Amino acid sequence: MSSARPPFKEQGFTLIEMLVALAIFSLAALALLRLGGATAANSARLREQAIAEIVARNLAVEAVTDPEPSAFGVATGEMVNAGRRWRWTRTSGRSPEARILQIDIQVAPAAGGPGRAHLIVFRRAPL
């Protein structure tokens, strides 16, 4: 009997296969980096939006709980919340129901940029 060796089979990946795998991995990594950047930008925008809504709700609570309803017309002002200055506008007028006062509140950053809020509340109108 002769000791014949089984035919030699190469194992492993070819250079072409490795380059294709590396290209696919790099495309996936770039997509994840872009997604991370977009998520960070959206998170900052949503944080500013949430703070603007808090400022608008604070103003609404003041307007609704004030013993005397606010006079008809437009009032403006600024306030500081979360370390930022916010410019607000409150417009008071009659609603379609004469006994109810409609108060429209708009809030925006004093320095501009993202984070705006708009809120409408109702309360008893002055007699």
Side-chain angles (χ1 to χ4, degrees):
M1 257 202 204
S2 69
S3 63
R5 288 183 161 175
F8 179 70
K9 291 188 176 182
E10 292 185 28
Q11 293 183 4
F13 299 103
T14 65
L15 181 60
I16 299 280
E17 291 170 332
M18 290 300 293
L19 289 174
V20 168
L22 185 61
I24 291 171
F25 177 75
S26 65
L27 288 175
L30 284 174
L32 287 175
L33 284 173
R34 285 181 140 183
L35 180 64
T39 301
N42 282 339
S43 176
R45 186 180 56 81
L46 288 174
R47 183 184 69 239
E48 297 301 319
Q49 179 73 30
I51 295 170
E53 289 176 8
I54 289 169
V55 170
R57 288 180 184 156
N58 288 344
L59 290 166
V61 167
E62 288 177 8
V64 171
T65 59
D66 192 12
E68 287 298 317
S70 58
F72 292 129
V74 178
T76 60
E78 285 191 5
M79 69 177 357
V80 176
N81 196 333
R84 292 197 52 197
R85 295 193 68 74
W86 299 92
R87 183 172 295 126
W88 56 266
T89 303
R90 182 180 65 216
T91 306
S92 301
R94 291 215 184 268
S95 69
E97 171 61 43
R99 297 174 294 164
I100 298 175
L101 177 68
Q102 178 176 329
I103 304 168
D104 185 342
I105 299 169
Q106 295 184 21
V107 176
R116 299 180 186 284
H118 182 217
L119 182 64
I120 297 175
V121 294
F122 299 94
R123 73 166 287 167
R124 178 185 55 81
L127 300 174

